[in-house]
Each structure stands twice: as C-alpha cells, then as structure tokens.
Amino acid sequence: MSEKIEFVYIFTNPAMPEYVKVGITNNIERRIRDLSHKTAVPEQFNCHAFLTVKGDKPCAADIEKSFHFFFRQRLHPEM
C-alpha cells in the first residue's frame, strides 16, 4: 500500500495581485492548469509555495485551515 501524498499550496496570479489561493491537491501542475483554464482568468496561476504532506491521516486539511486562518488574520485583523 502506497503512502498518501497531498500538497497544501499557495497560488498567486499576476492578473489579481491582491488575491491568494490556498488549497489542497494531489497534483500541483493539474491544479494550476484547471484553475487557469476552467476559470477563464487572463493569466495563469503561479505556485508561490507548497507543503508536501505524507501519511494516512487527513492532516493536509488541518494545515490548509491554519493557512486560511493565518492569511485571514493578516488581511482582516478584526476577525
């Protein structure tokens, strides 16, 4: 049985410099392609950073949630 690998990513897009996309995927390139083409944005998303998460536990979701909290606190300190 192979170990589960997921990526928690931070994507940016030059067409939307104020926007940061945080999510989970098992394929970074496919996720960039899907977001860039299916959402009809004028420029392709760029992978600003990612974290590789290995294991059977669903800890990638916990990490993603922490990233969202981190960014929310800096963008909206009153929250």
Side-chain angles (χ1 to χ4, degrees), residues 7 21 40 61:
F7 304 96
K21 171 73 175 133

Side-chain angles (χ1 to χ4, degrees), residues 12-17 43-46:
T12 57
N13 189 300
M16 302 173 281
E43 296 190 51
Q44 180 172 311
F45 279 86
N46 300 307

Side-chain angles (χ1 to χ4, degrees), residues 11-20 35-36 39-46:
F11 291 168
T12 57
N13 189 300
M16 302 173 281
E18 72 287 347
Y19 182 73
V20 175
L35 282 173
S36 297
T39 57
V41 294
E43 296 190 51
Q44 180 172 311
F45 279 86
N46 300 307

Side-chain angles (χ1 to χ4, degrees), residues 20-37:
V20 175
K21 171 73 175 133
V22 175
I24 301 172
T25 187
N26 60 4
N27 185 309
I28 296 277
E29 292 83 12
R30 184 182 66 229
R31 186 64 179 138
I32 288 173
R33 191 172 51 250
D34 288 350
L35 282 173
S36 297
H37 297 265

Side-chain angles (χ1 to χ4, degrees), residues 5 8 13 16 19 35 42 54 62 71-72 74 79:
I5 298 175
V8 179
N13 189 300
M16 302 173 281
Y19 182 73
L35 282 173
K54 298 179 182 180
D62 293 335
F71 283 113
R72 184 172 37 252
R74 274 131 191 92
M79 296 180 90

Side-chain angles (χ1 to χ4, degrees), residues 52-65:
T52 304
V53 182
K54 298 179 182 180
D56 296 326
K57 294 181 180 180
C59 61
D62 293 335
I63 295 168
E64 179 195 22
K65 186 176 179 180

